Structures are given as C-alpha cells and as structure tokens.
Amino acid sequence: MDWQDSPEQAAFRSEVRSFIEARLPEHYRGRPPGAPDEWVADRGAPEPERREAAREWAVALGERGWVAPHIPTEYGGGGLSKWEQFIYNQEMARVSAPVVGSSHSVEMLTPTLVVHGTDAQKSAYLPRILGGEMVWCQGYSEPGAGSDLASVQTRAVLDGDEYVVNGQKIWTTNGHHADAIFAMVRTDPDAPKHRGISFLLIDDMATEGVMVRPLVNMAWEHGFNEVFFENVRVPATNVVGDVNRGWYVSMTLLDFERSGVRQATNVRRQFNQLLGEVREPRAPGSVRNLPSVRAEIADRAIDTAVCENFSLRVISMQAVGLIPNYEASMGKLRISETLQAISRTGVRAFGLYSNLWDPEDERSPARADFTQRYLTSIPHTIGAGTSEIQRNIIATRGLGLPRG
C-alpha cells in the first residue's frame, strides 16, 4: 500500500488548496475541526455579511462544478475521478469548508438521483441543487422506526395522479432551513415491510399540510426537527425508482452517506487539535502526564489511523467501479465511535476544567470545544444507522454469519 500521492494527485491537491486559499470567504476561515456546516443557515441569515459569504462560496464552487464534484459534468457536477473526489473532500474537510446545499442534498440525494432518478427528475432537481438554489432534508426516521427503518408508518395513498401523505418524521436535520424533503413512505401496507416502501420527493416544504417543529439538543443547539404531514399532496411522478421498491433506493443513499471520506479527515483534525492542546504547557487543568491519559491518547492515535485506512479502502473500491456496502458500514462504525472517543479523551485530559462551557472563559480548555463535542457526539452512533445496525451488516454481509 502506497500512502503517498502520485504526481498527478499531488498536483490536484495543490490546485484545491490554492482554490481554497483564494476563494474561501473570510467568514468560513478558522472554523474548528468538525464544525457543523453553516451554509444552509447563512443563505437566509438576517446578517448581510453571512448571506454574502454563502453567495460567494456557492458562486466560487459553481464555477468549477465543485458544489458536487462527484456528479458527471452533463448534470452540472465536477466530473472528478474517485481519487480526485477523495482529495477534494480531504482538503475541504481539512479547513472545515462548508458544503453548499447541505450534505443531504449534495452528497446523498444527487448521486442517488443519478443512479435511480428519471430524466425528468434529474432535469428538475439537479441544476437547482448544484446551483445552491434548493436544499433538501432527509425524512427517514420516525418515532417508531429508527434502527428498524423498514418499520416506517408514514403513509402515501394514491389518489388519481397524486399521493396523499400522512405521518411523522423525526431527527430531521436542517428541516427548518430546507426547501424540500425526500422521504421513505409506505405505499403498500399489506406487503412485507421491506417491499411496501417508496422513495418520495416532497419538493416544497411550504406545501399545505407540512409542519416543522424544532427539537433542541442538550447542548442547546437547534439542528434537529420533527416534521408532520397532514394530507400532503405530492405528484405521483415524484417517486424515485419503482413504487414499493423504495427500500433499495433508500439503501443506495445510505451507502453514499456512510462512505465517510470527509468524516475521516474530521477525525484527524480533531485528534490533532487534542494533541496540540495537551502539549500546551499552560493548558488549564491538563492531566496529560497521567499514564492512563497518555495511554488513552495513544489509543486515539491508532483509532485515527484506522479510520483513515478504512476511508482509503472505500475510495479504492469506488475507483474501480465497486459500490462499498459492508465496507462502508465498517468505516462508518469506526469513524463515529472514534469521534466519540476523542471527545471523551479531550474531556478527561483537562480534568474538572472540562466542566466549563463558556468558550470565552480564559480557563476553558480549547475554548470548551471538547466539552461541547462530548455532548453533541452522542448521536454519531445513532445517525446514518446505529452502531448495532452497522455490526449486523458487517456480520451478515461481510462475514456471512446467519441472521438471529
């Protein structure tokens, strides 16, 4: 295994770095590792400077097709090779540059539409997504269908040439900022649960009957929402793939979500931040010299290297035309659990000072970054499929073990 860039890869990496240096708006510079994408909120923010930063970044990426570098050029994407995409994502994650349009729109829905969408759906939605004009959120989980996603109960009943949708979704990231939502809906309640589901595009959150209710997490952040549908009418042509076969479309999307290329780079950045902070001689409350803490930091170094190699495995498969399945689950599992572990180690390394929440308090280690992440990292092993589900996929599809 050669971990070094080829001359061509090194040249492209240099090109991306130069682009970031020249075009990334000042508003997005210096963001901490793993910072949430702000572009979706910025595009409609009350502050003119935030709206202008969002516009500038969308224009800069759009000029090169880099809003969606993985999408073929005929659809308005960058048409980059798999290795170029990997390098691009590494460099963007290295500086926490935001995704234009939201990761649900660009990294998940667009490649899914390329694989499963009709020509009309591609023409209607891809240009608007890639132009930063249309942001989508994800309607998968429900109060009674999270880890067992095939238990979704949101109903879509055909009425003429429209579906009438009733039900509820939960944990909808950016639902309060999104223009549209793609959803798993049950179109045949009598079919086996994996076969009675369709993948439906509800392309306007302002449609009558759609209601978004905020969910605030224990770090006092509003990112999640509940979404309710009451007699929402959606054209039947908005089904992606075959009716009642939406489970397979949905799993294609999840495989794209679980590939984890950007996240592996976020792991490296967060670990490097931890290492830099504990090496600081005047770090408040640092207990870095305790043997147990030093051993934990060494473990995190190993975990970080493993995450990077899992992401390399995924991209190596994609580069030869394979679609990672259990391999993506292996990467997702390792990355999400490592992000949690780095946060825990960061809290331990600064002892009682990690109880400080205020980033402006001079006593707060690392501007309270690890304290905040300790709480916000909890959903890492839930979102995009729980760790238990990932282990089941690895066991059955990867190791060939029997179910149950």
Side-chain angles (χ1 to χ4, degrees):
M1 178 71 186
D2 184 359
W3 282 272
Q4 303 301 312
D5 288 341
S6 68
E8 295 79 12
Q9 291 167 345
F12 182 71
R13 189 181 299 278
S14 177
E15 178 185 348
V16 177
R17 288 189 177 185
S18 297
F19 169 80
I20 291 171
E21 181 60 32
R23 301 299 297 274
L24 184 66
E26 190 63 34
H27 176 71
Y28 296 124
R29 295 178 186 265
R31 291 170 5 113
D37 281 345
E38 299 172 349
W39 185 91
V40 173
D42 287 341
R43 67 176 186 141
E47 299 88 351
E49 60 273 15
R50 291 176 60 190
R51 295 198 303 273
E52 180 59 20
R55 188 197 66 79
E56 286 181 8
W57 189 227
V59 168
L61 291 176
E63 288 174 357
R64 291 175 172 249
W66 283 0
V67 170
H70 52 297
I71 297 299
T73 54
E74 59 262 37
Y75 299 115
L80 301 185
S81 70
K82 297 298 183 182
W83 279 109
E84 287 173 334
Q85 293 172 42
F86 180 77
I87 292 167
Y88 170 88
N89 279 307
Q90 276 190 319
E91 292 304 313
M92 290 296 173
R94 181 180 58 84
V95 296
S96 293
V99 172
V100 166
S102 87
S103 59
H104 291 104
S105 299
V106 174
E107 297 173 7
M108 299 178 221
L109 181 59
T110 54
T112 302
L113 285 176
V114 168
V115 173
H116 293 288
T118 64
D119 289 340
Q121 289 167 348
K122 294 172 186 176
S123 298
Y125 302 121
L126 290 180
R128 295 167 67 191
I129 294 171
L130 303 188
E133 301 168 9
M134 191 178 205
V135 172
W136 291 75
C137 58
Q138 182 181 43
Y140 275 22
S141 294
E142 298 178 5
S147 297
D148 183 13
L149 194 56
S151 293
V152 294
Q153 294 301 310
T154 295
R155 289 287 306 277
V157 178
L158 189 62
D159 181 20
D161 59 359
E162 293 180 318
Y163 280 100
V164 180
V165 182
N166 284 278
Q168 177 189 359
K169 298 295 180 179
I170 199 167
W171 314 126
T172 308
T173 303
N174 281 328
H176 54 310
H177 294 306
D179 304 301
I181 181 170
F182 55 87
M184 294 173 64
V185 296
R186 189 158 297 283
T187 43
D188 185 352
D190 299 321
K193 65 180 186 180
H194 288 85
R195 292 185 178 270
I197 293 170
S198 297
F199 188 101
L200 187 64
L201 304 174
I202 303 172
D203 58 15
D204 189 352
M205 294 290 280
T207 300
E208 183 178 358
V210 178
M211 182 177 70
V212 179
R213 182 180 297 168
L215 292 172
V216 178
N217 67 20
M218 60 185 173
W220 304 310
E221 297 174 343
H222 174 203
F224 291 139
N225 304 269
E226 296 176 286
V227 180
F228 297 87
F229 306 106
E230 184 175 348
N231 295 324
V232 177
R233 304 190 73 88
V234 183
T237 53
N238 282 22
V239 171
V240 178
D242 294 333
V243 174
N244 296 329
R245 302 283 284 176
W247 177 258
Y248 305 99
V249 180
S250 302
M251 292 307 100
T252 297
L253 185 140
L254 285 181
D255 284 339
F256 285 120
E257 181 178 12
R258 291 169 180 164
S259 295
V261 172
R262 286 175 66 95
Q263 283 294 82
T265 305
N266 286 336
V267 169
R268 169 59 65 183
R269 288 196 72 212
Q270 291 189 27
F271 175 73
N272 286 347
Q273 183 192 24
L274 170 64
L275 208 56
E277 292 290 344
V278 297
R279 284 173 170 169
E280 173 58 48
R282 297 182 181 179
S286 175
V287 291
R288 63 185 180 278
N289 289 322
L290 286 177
S292 61
V293 173
R294 292 172 65 87
E296 221 178 281
I297 292 171
D299 286 342
R300 299 297 81 79
I302 296 169
D303 290 340
T304 299
V306 169
C307 290
E308 291 173 331
N309 280 278
F310 272 136
S311 69
L312 285 170
R313 183 185 186 189
V314 167
I315 199 64
S316 296
M317 293 180 65
Q318 292 175 334
V320 295
L322 300 175
I323 298 178
N325 184 265
Y326 71 87
E327 299 88 354
S329 289
M330 291 170 66
K332 192 275 176 188
L333 174 68
R334 188 71 262 155
I335 287 169
S336 60
E337 294 189 350
T338 298
L339 286 169
Q340 290 180 338
I342 290 173
S343 299
R344 287 197 302 270
T345 301
V347 169
R348 281 202 64 202
F350 299 104
L352 292 176
Y353 279 83
S354 291
N355 287 311
L356 294 169
W357 278 79
D358 185 1
E360 303 304 324
D361 190 320
E362 63 181 13
R363 300 167 298 172
S364 295
R367 292 179 54 81
D369 280 351
F370 293 104
T371 303
Q372 296 283 346
R373 286 189 209 135
Y374 180 75
L375 295 179
T376 57
S377 69
I378 290 173
H380 288 331
T381 47
I382 301 172
T386 66
S387 289
E388 291 78 11
I389 291 295
Q390 305 312 317
R391 288 186 168 91
N392 284 343
I393 292 171
I394 295 164
T396 56
R397 301 180 190 175
L399 299 176
L401 298 177
R403 291 182 178 273

